[in-house]
Structures are given as C-alpha cells and as structure tokens.
Amino acid sequence: MTTLPSADADSRLESLYRDQSRELWALFYAYCGNAERAQDAVHEAFLRLQQQTTEEIRDPRAWLLQVGRNWLRDQARRKGNSTIKTDLLDVHPGTREEPVSDLLGSEQRDQIRAALQALKEEDREALILRYALDWSSQRIGETLGSSAAAVDMRLSRARQRLANELEQRGYEND
Amino acid sequence: MTERNTSSERLSERDVDRLLQRFFVREVPAEFRQEEAPVAIANPQLEPLVRSATPTPSRNLAGLLGILVSATCCLIVTLFIPGESTEKVSTNPFPVVGGNTRPQPDADRSVPFEERNHLPFTSLGNPDDATGSETEATDPLGPELEIEIFPLRPDKPRE
C-alpha cells in the first residue's frame, strides 16, 4: 500500500518511475499507437501520482495504468482519433543512432503503425513488449498473465497477422 | 481501402521480425531506450525522475574501482609497515638455551660472571634455618634450583 505524503515519497516515486516507466510507455503505446502521446501519458500519470495527497494507493502500477489510459482517452476525444504521426522532423538520415541502411521511410512507418493498431490489443501488447522493450517471453508472460510458451505462440500469430495487415496496406518489403 | 499487393514478395514471419526491430529502434523515445543517456524532457517537473531513472553504468564502475583501489592501498600498507609481530627484540639478557623457557633472573652485574648461574633456580631455603626441607617448588615445570656459592665461613664449623 502506498501513502504518498511521507518523508520519503520522492524517493519512492523515483524508484517507481525507474521500475515502471518503460513498461507503462509500451502499454500506452499499444493503447494509442502514438509514441509521443504515450510518453506524455506516462508523464501525466506520474505527475498526478506525485500530486496525489488523499488517496492511499494499493497498486501503484495499476493506478498509473488506469490514469494514463483515461488521459489518453480524453486526449483522443479532444483531438480526434488520429493515431498516425508523421515523423519527418525526427532524427536526420544517417545519424550515429541509426545508419542510413536501417532507416524506414515515413510512409513505411505509418503503414506499420496502422497495421499494429489493426491487431487485437493483446497481440499488439505482446509485439510491443518484445520489440520495443526487448523483453523475454517469460517476462511478457508474467505481465500479461500467461506462460512463456503461450507468449511465443501469440507472438508468432501476431507476426503473421501483421504481415497480412501490411500487405493489405500495400507495404512493400525491401 | 488499399489494394492487395500481389506483386511484391509476401512478408514472412522473419521479415516481420526484422521489420519490427528496425521500426522500434526509432519509435521508442530516447527516455525509455535501454542503456541510453538521459535527454531533456518537455516537463521540467519530471526531469529529476527521468535523470535518476536512467542507468549510470559509469557511476557503478567508479564505485567498484574505488573499492579496488582502497583494498589495494590497505594491502600495500599492511605489507610494508613493520609490524610488532615480525621482529621482536628480546630484552632478556639470558637467551633461552636448549629450549628452556622459564623466566631467567635479571643479570646481576655486580656478581662476577663466573658466579652467575645460568641455570634455573630452585630455592632450597636458607640452610641456616635448619628446616631440613626443601622449599616446595611452585613452578609447574619443576623446581627451580638456586645454587649459591658460599664462600667458606671461617667462623662456623662445617657440618
């Protein structure tokens, strides 16, 4: 049980951020399909947790997840349901982080985002936890409440479905 | 609705695997990438959290290095400082001979050397007391023999 207004609340919040922020981002990204909006949702959830003074929070992770999703839903209502984001102003081609040969074009990235959003949420979550966070099947299973073998099967099916979705959107394989 | 692409190769599972790896290299914000340096974020209120959440392998390495340096210095100091146990200067003027470890009497410089007795002593008592009995030795190692060389006393007849 977490009671926020205490002498070491800041250190506990810091520890919680360190432990949970990546996973929360991945789950918010699976929910909304927008990397920046998911990042904002993480920040918003922790800000509200920091400002929380009256409620005793039994499960901070679940609380943060719920607050973040609620915020994303509100944002979607205000700005529309567009989840496609152009990233033309992102990292310039040929940077140290990503050689030119590894770059995906903006159109390809948009197609991948759209295809991901077309999947079932559980398939999307499994793919994002694996490829965005590089989690093992066992760890994904612990988060999603299934076994490592079941996660492997889900990932395999999710990849096949994603391939179908990409083909339907005219994705051209390099 | 986009037409189904039949001209290009169908995407295999392996293709999708490689594709997703490439996709998420840029898709994940720098803040949430593993082993990445912290970057400035839009919300300054959360900046302390972000900076502290970022792993700092250099800090851990520096701590380990400090421990190693300290341990090495302690070891060097221990080896090179002369310890009390390494060399003991004996103040006993009567060095033990033949493994005898009983305490030796202090050298009496006034007594001629030839009269000094290097053997352990056992007091036999004063013969003038005529007790006829030896003083019991209290030394668990054995009685101490105290041999005194008396000059002949001309004023007392020999017994």
Side-chain angles (χ1 to χ4, degrees), chain A residues 124-135:
Chain A
R124 197 161 57 240
E125 284 179 348
L127 287 176
I128 291 167
L129 289 173
R130 165 57 61 85
Y131 290 101
L133 303 190
D134 198 24
W135 278 13

Side-chain angles (χ1 to χ4, degrees), chain B residues 108-146:
Chain B
D108 187 357
R109 302 290 179 192
S110 61
V111 178
F113 177 77
E114 54 273 18
E115 292 181 8
R116 290 180 209 164
N117 200 317
H118 294 269
L119 296 176
F121 291 90
T122 296
S123 174
L124 296 177
N126 189 344
D128 293 336
D129 290 336
T131 58
S133 62
E134 294 178 4
T135 304
E136 277 189 21
T138 57
D139 188 347
L141 296 178
E144 284 189 352
L145 297 174
E146 182 176 354

Side-chain angles (χ1 to χ4, degrees), chain A:
Chain A
M1 187 178 296
T2 304
T3 307
L4 290 176
S6 65
D8 60 343
D10 286 344
S11 64
R12 278 193 280 145
L13 190 66
E14 200 174 296
S15 173
L16 196 62
Y17 191 89
R18 189 167 45 241
D19 294 339
Q20 300 292 335
S21 58
R22 290 184 80 234
E23 180 188 341
L24 286 171
W25 175 84
L27 296 175
F28 292 154
Y29 178 80
Y31 186 72
C32 70
N34 185 307
E36 279 196 4
R37 201 177 297 174
Q39 185 177 15
D40 291 341
V42 171
H43 295 163
E44 186 66 29
F46 273 94
L47 267 175
R48 293 190 185 186
L49 183 64
Q50 194 177 35
Q51 294 161 0
Q52 183 69 25
T53 55
T54 56
E55 184 183 336
E56 287 187 0
I57 300 169
R58 293 186 180 182
D59 188 347
R61 179 186 173 277
W63 190 93
L64 289 164
L65 199 57
Q66 190 61 47
V67 166
R69 284 184 171 174
N70 291 343
W71 184 83
L72 285 169
R73 199 179 303 124
D74 293 343
Q75 291 296 307
R77 280 198 214 112
R78 287 177 201 171
K79 297 177 184 180
N81 288 326
S82 171
T83 59
I84 305 300
K85 178 185 178 302
T86 57
D87 54 359
L88 296 174
L89 299 179
D90 284 348
V91 177
H92 295 297
T95 59
R96 181 177 57 85
E97 291 82 11
E98 190 175 345
V100 174
S101 59
D102 291 340
L103 283 179
L104 291 170
S106 62
E107 185 182 351
Q108 287 175 307
R109 302 184 74 82
D110 290 343
Q111 288 171 328
I112 294 168
R113 287 191 195 99
L116 281 169
Q117 287 304 302
L119 299 178
K120 294 181 195 174
E121 189 169 351
E122 49 267 27
D123 289 348
R124 197 161 57 240
E125 284 179 348
L127 287 176
I128 291 167
L129 289 173
R130 165 57 61 85
Y131 290 101
L133 303 190
D134 198 24
W135 278 13
S136 65
S137 297
Q138 184 173 356
R139 191 170 178 187
I140 295 172
E142 288 167 6
T143 299
L144 301 181
S146 57
S147 66
V151 168
D152 287 336
M153 284 179 58
R154 180 178 293 282
L155 285 170
S156 177
R157 282 200 300 266
R159 282 190 286 261
Q160 291 169 15
R161 289 170 188 155
L162 188 67
N164 293 335
E165 293 291 338
L166 286 170
E167 286 166 4
Q168 288 179 7
R169 283 164 176 74
Y171 181 84
E172 291 186 3
N173 192 19
D174 294 337

